[in-house]
Amino acid sequence: MDTNSLCPRCGGAFVCEAETALQAPCACFAVQLSDAARALLRERYTTCLCVACLRAVQAALEATPDQAVTPPTPSRMA
């Protein structure tokens, strides 16, 4: 069962397929996150993020590893 979600970082809509990973892997499974990115995400969020935000967090940490990653202002476009 796909779950329609809103990304808590950007406010954008996406489909979380993590619960059905045995049938078809969720797109987020393909995103390579560092330990630092995983820790930051666990610290800031309690639900799934969209693939674009996962990639953005990882890229920001690679560019400025010693600085906090600032999330965008949620758009709330559904």
Side-chain angles (χ1 to χ4, degrees):
M1 167 189 250
D2 295 344
T3 304
N4 291 319
S5 301
L6 288 179
C7 178
R9 183 174 179 271
C10 72
F14 70 102
V15 176
C16 177
E17 298 180 36
E19 292 181 11
T20 62
L22 295 177
Q23 297 168 5
C26 188
C28 71
F29 291 8
V31 179
Q32 301 266 333
L33 296 171
S34 65
D35 290 341
R38 289 182 207 284
L40 178 74
L41 293 169
R42 274 192 298 269
E43 205 176 279
R44 291 190 178 180
Y45 306 103
T46 58
T47 60
C48 297
L49 274 66
C50 68
V51 171
C53 281
L54 292 174
R55 289 183 177 141
V57 167
Q58 181 60 46
L61 281 172
E62 289 172 3
T64 56
D66 58 339
Q67 296 178 11
V69 178
T70 305
T73 303
S75 62
R76 298 290 177 208
M77 293 189 298

